[in-house]
Every structure is written in C-alpha cells, then in structure tokens.
Amino acid sequence: MTADRLDHSHTVSLFGTDQPVPERKVLRAGPLEATWEAGALRNIRYGGIEILRGIAFLSRDESWGNIPAEIANVHIAQEEARFRLSCDLAFLDGLQRLAGTVDIEGSSNGSVTFSVSATATTDFATNRTGFTILHPLTHVVGQPVDVTHTDGTKTRQTFPERISPGQPVFDIRSLTHDLGPGLRVAIQMEGAKFEMEDHRNWMDASYKTYAGSLLDPWPYVIAQGERVTQSVSVKVSGIPAANAVSSDRPEVMVTPGDRAGVLPDLGTAMSTEPPADLSRFVGQLNHAKPAYLVVRIDGRQFDLDRQAADLTAVARTADTPLHLEVILSATNSADQELDELATALGRNDILPAAVVVTQAHDMMSFQPGDPRPSGPCYLEMATAARRAFRDVPIGGGMVAFFTELNRLPVPHGVFDFVTHTVCPAVHASDDQSLMENLEAAKWIFASAKAMIGSTPYRLGPSWISSRVNPYGAAVLPNLADERICLAESDPRQRGIFGASWALGLVAAAAEARLDAVALASLTGPQGLAFGPGDRRPPGFPSAEVTPTFHVLKGLAAHKSRHSIAMTVSDPEAIAAMGIETPAGPELWLANLTAEAKDVHIDPWHGPATLHLLDHARYSDALKLDFLDSPGMKTDDAGSLRLAPYATARLSPAVE
C-alpha cells in the first residue's frame, strides 16, 4: 500500500494520523526481489524465499537514537535480469553532518551488492555508523552458520534457538549458511569489523549483524574530512525446494483445532505520568471489565504519601483488582523501602491483589557481564515484599523489556510469578516492522519459559508505545504525532492498525499459555480510551475509545475459558484466536498486512455474527458500545475478506 493510494480519511482510520505512508519500490531481477523504502533494502527474496529481512546504512547518535537519513536524487534502472539504484545520502545531527552516495546492484544470478561512500563534513560523533543486516527467522533459527573472521580464520557457529542475552558471533567478515532445503546464502562485509546480536531480545523478528563492536569504545568521532566506505555483498546459490516456498493459494487457510490452554487473564494499566484521574474513565473501565489494573508506586520520587493518595482515588473508583508495580530507589535496604511504602499504602487503605517489585538500577540496560550499581537482588526484594505484603502474590523480573530479564535471569522459586514487557518499536518504527515483529513474540515467550520453568508468567503492560526506556533518560515525547521509536505515545494506537497488532500479541501469548497479559493502558499516552483534553484521531473530536479497546473488552469477557488451537497457513499475514464459549467457538482474526486478505475457515458450520474493525466502520469503532451492536448476520462465515489491518470477531449466531 503506497502513499498515493491512501486518501486522508483512509490514512487516519488505519493509523490514527494523517502522516503519509512512505513510498516503496519493488526491485526485481529474475527470481531476485527486494523492496526499496526510506533508504533501505528490505525483504530480499530469491525464488520466493526471504534471504535477508533488510540491509540499511544507519547512524546512531550518542544516546543510541536513530539519526534520520536524508535521501535525494534516487535513480533506478531496472532490466529483466538486473536492477541498479543510486542516490545521495546525508545524516544531519545538530551541526554535525555526514554525506555521501549509495550504489545498489542486483542480478538474476542471486547476487546483491549495497555500497556506501560518505565523508564527514564536520567532526561527527556517533555511537555507531555503518551497515545493519537483518537475517530472517524462518529457515534460520537454530541453524549452523560458517563464519570467516577479520583475520581470515573460520569457525562454525549457530543462530541460537533460545534467545542469546549477548552477541552470539563476534569479529565477522563473512557469514555463510543454508536457508531451507536447496538454498545457500553467503554474505560478505567490507570496510568495518562486524558482529551479531540476537535482535529478538527487543521483539525484532531478526538476528542483526552490524558494523562496529560494542566491545570497542563509544561514542567515537568520525573526523572532519574522513571518508567511511563500506559494502555488503550477498550471493545465493541453489534452487529452493518446492515445499520451502510459500503457497500460491490466494486464500489464507485458518483451521480451528482442539481445546488448548486457559486464556490469559486480560488486564490493562493506568497512566503513570501524570497521576491518573480514573473518575473520567469509570464508564470505559466498567464497560471493558479487565481482569486487573496495573498501577505503580515509584520509590525514586520520594513522595510516597502523594502517590498512595493518588492510588486511593483509583481504588475507590474501580471495582477492579489492582496489581501494583513497585520501583525501589535502591538507596536503602529493600526491607526499609518496602516497609515505608507499605505503611504509606496502609494509611490510605490500599491492598493490592498482586505486587511486582523491582529496583531503579534494573530499569536501565546493561551488557551481559557488565558491572551493575549496588542494589537489592531478586531474593532480597522478594523476601522484603513478602514481609510487607503478607498473603499477596509477589512477582519479579522486569518492568522493562525481556532483554533486561534475559541479562539478569530470575532464579527459580524466588517469585510467585515472573513478568516483563515488550515493545515492537525499539529499533524500527515503520508499519511493516511493527507487524513483522509479532513473529518474535513466540521466541520471547519460549525463552522466558525456559528460564522460569513452571513459575506463572505474566506479560506486563505492553503496547506499540512504551512506558519505559532502559536505553535513555525517558521515553520520547511525540508532540508531532509521528512514527518514532520508544515514544510515550504512537498515533497507530488510535487506528485500526493498533487493534490488529494487539490481537496478534494476545494470540501469541495465548498460544504460549501465558497466565496474564496487560494490554496498553486505559488512560494517558498509551490510553485505549479518550478523556477530556486527550489527543483524538484527526477529524473525530467525539471519539470515546480506540478500536483496540474492543479487543480488550471482547477478550476480557472470556476470563478463565479455554482457547482453541489454531493453524494458519500464513501466520505472518493473519493472526487467529479461538475461544470456547457455551454457544460454540468464537474466532478472532486480524489482518497484519497492508493488503486485503481472503480468509477461509475450515471447519466452520452454521450461521455467525460478524463484527469488523476496519476502515469502513472506523467511526463506529470509536464508540464505547461498538461490540454491543447487533453485528452482521451471515449464514456462512467460512470465507471472508479482511481489509488492510482489519480485525474480525466471529461469534456463533444465537437465535
């Protein structure tokens, strides 16, 4: 879906903003195909098999923020057996500037070369500037890879199956590996030393090989007049096996199976900044009926009585169990801090249904093995929390992302449950990457469960935007309402896109049999509901809730029911959930792509009621009572077409 195909109203309904979608250009040379978008090559395929998820030349500032690339003078020459692309590239960061040229060539023989030559026109301070190569997960996870190092030595290593907390491969000059039956890919990198990290840590659906090394000092300075010249060459050999190539069948097949696990409890959160006024949202809360509400008290702020009073207002308004996140300042013992905190809560008659305890230093990111500041360990926090909150389940892990949990694993038997959050927009914030990154969820959940064993597993408040930023001072403001990484808010949360993404996340959590999922927040920058003064979708000043609100409401209504195992022929295109109800199976489907998809459900017997969250019904989806409407009756729900990013609920028709 390109920018010229979307009018203003369509853009707003899908993405909650009228910011245009970046233009894309598909480049082809025989069986080789790649997409050019915003200065990067992505989804490089050969014979229908994705060989690389992307190649891009990127620059990071001294806070690890992406410095936007300015692309100009793009020239494309495309022949039957070859394509060529050249353009100018510049990175501007304040008064700093690095500028140069890009040359890309692809051939039907399975070769791609991407070269950049750039010169610093001023001293240019950066944490990392160079190529980033993204390897897909399909046909790659757990497979061996032959590595040539910068000194010419060779080793055989493995793309890890369980997510690696650190870099699985260092000092890389080239990588060669099989890519499913029949194909072999060789990647040669010049102009810098490269290393690999397991990108799945941050919910990116890839392994990432990048220029430079985190073992070297950063930031560093590219001196004025210094030239940076790098290239990546890819060569594919062989012919993909017929069964390795995606089916040409136009329909996506969805097959409900047997009873699976109990659905995760569906909760949501309250905004942490500023203090939430739940009285403005009591109608939305009572309508959604989440299983619990996540609230926070932050010992780093040293105003416990004020925070406790804020929570009192929430507790008096909400007839919903409160799950309390506690962040210790790590300036005193865990016993002393938790005793003071519990006393402040007790003075305000706050009794949480569950407590998650963490400390200030664990809100920050550390490389594996790096020294950490002094602070209470997991066992000390758990022991102190049990003294302070008797007979209340005590959870631990991270209020931040899986990455931080993976780098500081929780010992078995310490907590009653373990938690962390996820965010799909840590490294890339475009629409396609956010949907692709749902593919990483199953690997995160599997790796976490391998770590914690049978301990209950609850996913903390997770959304497209983030409540935390372990890699900077705070999440980023988004006053211009753009697609940016690690932002406190994201416009797509207000669009049809957000509902589809949310269903994809919950479907992955249900399949992995998590115990609970907290989705977004009811209020504030991650809010699923709109209050006075909140930013609403352009042109919809009376919007009451976001489309994603109905995903929370619809799924939360099935607390403690069993899910149904679902098989999907193209899980990167369609997310599916099945739920057992007294009236029969209820199915939820989400189109994760920018193209309409035909879906065939086999078996589905009898009439159904269909509720659709799509562009055509966007204004209805902004109303609180959307799911209470009669819906559309259909005698045969076995086949339906889902518009771009649409979400559908199919319920058994009740006479």
Side-chain angles (χ1 to χ4, degrees):
M1 183 176 293
T2 57
D4 60 355
R5 291 167 56 192
L6 289 178
D7 60 23
H8 170 89
S9 65
H10 207 158
T11 302
V12 170
S13 69
L14 293 183
F15 308 117
T17 176
D18 53 10
Q19 181 188 24
V21 178
E23 293 192 42
R24 315 178 85 197
K25 175 67 175 178
V26 177
L27 308 174
R28 293 186 177 89
L32 181 70
E33 177 181 300
T35 299
W36 168 257
E37 180 182 353
L41 282 185
R42 58 191 310 163
N43 303 119
I44 303 168
R45 293 183 172 89
Y46 186 78
I49 298 292
E50 187 178 34
I51 58 175
L52 287 177
R53 182 132 288 182
I55 307 175
F57 191 88
L58 304 175
S59 186
R60 295 284 199 123
D61 64 22
E62 295 176 81
S63 299
W64 289 106
N66 282 316
I67 303 174
E70 295 187 0
I71 305 297
N73 301 321
V74 179
H75 297 284
I76 297 174
Q78 189 152 300
E79 305 168 8
E80 184 176 348
R82 177 178 298 180
F83 60 75
R84 293 177 178 172
L85 183 150
S86 63
C87 67
D88 297 329
L89 167 145
F91 295 101
L92 303 176
D93 186 25
L95 298 177
Q96 297 188 141
R97 186 172 188 268
L98 179 76
T101 58
V102 172
D103 291 287
I104 297 172
E105 184 169 343
S107 172
S108 59
N109 66 6
S111 64
V112 180
T113 302
F114 194 148
S115 302
V116 170
S117 180
T119 301
T121 56
T122 66
D123 284 353
F124 192 87
T126 177
N127 279 358
R128 181 187 299 152
T129 294
F131 273 110
T132 290
I133 303 158
L134 302 181
H135 311 269
L137 302 182
T138 302
H139 303 307
V140 175
V141 174
Q143 298 304 305
V145 55
D146 294 317
V147 183
T148 301
H149 301 282
T150 55
D151 63 0
T153 59
K154 298 183 178 183
T155 59
R156 170 159 274 212
Q157 300 190 45
T158 301
F159 290 102
E161 183 166 340
R162 181 172 171 178
I163 298 174
S164 172
Q167 294 86 340
V169 188
F170 291 94
D171 188 28
I172 303 168
R173 177 63 64 229
S174 70
L175 300 168
T176 304
H177 62 93
D178 292 334
L179 199 67
L183 279 188
R184 191 163 178 81
V185 59
I187 309 163
Q188 182 80 16
M189 292 145 276
E190 302 290 350
K193 173 175 59 178
F194 286 71
E195 69 186 22
M196 182 190 295
E197 68 186 7
D198 197 332
H199 229 197
R200 297 174 296 171
N201 273 294
W202 298 272
M203 205 186 179
D204 294 85
S206 58
Y207 302 93
K208 180 172 77 173
T209 299
Y210 53 90
S213 173
L214 290 175
L215 299 179
D216 295 333
W218 44 266
Y220 61 93
V221 175
I222 304 171
Q224 182 178 359
E226 183 179 347
R227 181 176 292 275
V228 176
T229 302
Q230 294 182 18
S231 67
V232 177
S233 299
V234 184
K235 184 69 176 74
V236 184
S237 58
I239 300 173
N243 61 0
V245 182
S246 298
S247 171
D248 292 331
R249 184 185 180 109
E251 287 184 317
V252 178
M253 302 296 295
V254 174
T255 307
D258 297 330
R259 169 188 276 195
V262 175
L263 286 172
D265 284 349
L266 261 289
T268 188
M270 291 297 294
S271 176
T272 57
E273 294 291 340
D277 180 5
L278 187 60
S279 64
R280 300 183 305 159
F281 296 92
V282 65
Q284 293 97 322
L285 179 65
N286 290 338
H287 210 75
K289 293 183 172 59
Y292 58 94
L293 199 59
V294 179
V295 295
R296 178 182 293 180
I297 191 163
D298 193 338
R300 298 171 297 179
Q301 296 181 10
F302 303 106
D303 58 350
L304 298 183
D305 285 321
R306 192 274 300 169
Q307 294 185 64
D310 289 338
L311 295 183
T312 301
V314 173
R316 289 174 179 171
T317 304
D319 187 21
T320 305
L322 299 185
H323 287 198
L324 180 66
E325 292 177 341
V326 174
I327 303 174
L328 305 181
S329 69
T331 56
N332 292 304
S333 70
D335 273 319
Q336 181 177 340
E337 287 204 56
L338 280 159
D339 182 63
E340 292 174 357
L341 186 149
T343 299
L345 292 173
R347 283 195 293 264
N348 289 273
D349 296 323
I350 300 292
L351 181 63
V355 171
V356 172
V357 60
T358 186
Q359 52 119 334
H361 304 315
D362 291 342
M363 301 290 287
M364 300 181 290
S365 179
F366 296 88
Q367 287 292 311
D370 278 0
R372 293 172 178 258
S374 176
C377 68
Y378 284 135
L379 181 58
E380 291 169 327
M381 290 189 289
T383 303
R386 287 196 173 94
R387 292 191 187 115
F389 298 97
R390 297 187 183 278
D391 302 320
V392 174
I394 303 299
M398 292 292 165
V399 173
F401 305 140
F402 171 77
T403 316
E404 283 59 60
L405 179 66
N406 204 23
R407 291 175 173 178
L408 191 67
V410 175
H412 285 202
V414 171
F415 292 107
D416 299 314
F417 63 93
V418 173
T419 189
H420 64 83
T421 68
V422 295
C423 173
V426 175
H427 294 111
S429 58
D430 63 280
D431 304 332
Q432 182 177 332
S433 291
L434 263 57
M435 288 301 188
E436 286 177 340
N437 288 349
L438 288 168
E439 185 185 350
K442 70 176 183 180
W443 299 107
I444 289 176
F445 299 153
S447 295
K449 295 190 92 168
M451 176 197 303
I452 69 176
S454 60
T455 304
Y457 181 7
R458 302 180 184 178
L459 187 66
S462 297
W463 199 203
I464 295 170
S465 60
S466 182
R467 302 162 85 229
V468 297
N469 180 6
Y471 319 111
V475 292
L476 301 178
N478 193 5
L479 299 179
D481 219 18
E482 297 177 314
R483 296 164 166 89
I484 60 176
C485 295
L486 287 172
E488 68 174 357
S489 66
D490 189 285
R492 288 163 292 191
Q493 298 170 173
R494 303 190 295 265
I496 296 297
F497 182 101
S500 180
W501 188 89
L503 184 72
L505 179 68
V506 179
E511 184 175 4
R513 302 195 179 188
L514 270 64
D515 296 273
V517 174
L519 190 61
S521 175
L522 184 68
T523 67
Q526 293 88 39
L528 300 178
F530 299 113
D534 286 342
R535 184 183 293 173
R536 287 169 166 80
F540 296 90
S542 61
E544 298 172 323
V545 296
T546 68
T548 309
F549 176 90
H550 306 298
V551 175
L552 172 66
K553 170 183 165 56
L555 297 179
H558 295 297
K559 178 178 169 60
S560 301
R561 287 180 175 159
H562 281 81
S563 64
I564 299 169
M566 305 292 288
T567 302
V568 182
S569 64
D570 188 355
E572 293 182 21
I574 298 293
M577 283 189 68
I579 304 167
E580 286 189 347
T581 79
E586 177 174 298
L587 301 187
W588 288 73
L589 305 170
N591 184 353
L592 308 179
T593 77
E595 306 295 335
K597 294 291 180 182
D598 291 314
V599 179
H600 183 70
I601 304 166
D602 185 20
W604 180 276
H605 303 292
T609 300
L610 174 64
H611 285 85
L612 273 174
L613 295 166
D614 61 9
H615 163 65
R617 297 159 185 84
Y618 183 58
S619 60
D620 292 335
L622 299 177
K623 298 175 182 176
L624 184 65
D625 60 356
F626 172 77
L627 283 185
D628 299 328
S629 67
M632 295 176 286
K633 304 296 183 182
T634 175
D635 291 330
D636 181 11
S639 294
L640 68 156
R641 166 163 279 217
L642 291 181
Y645 302 120
T647 298
R649 182 182 77 169
L650 274 170
S651 306
V654 179
E655 299 299 333

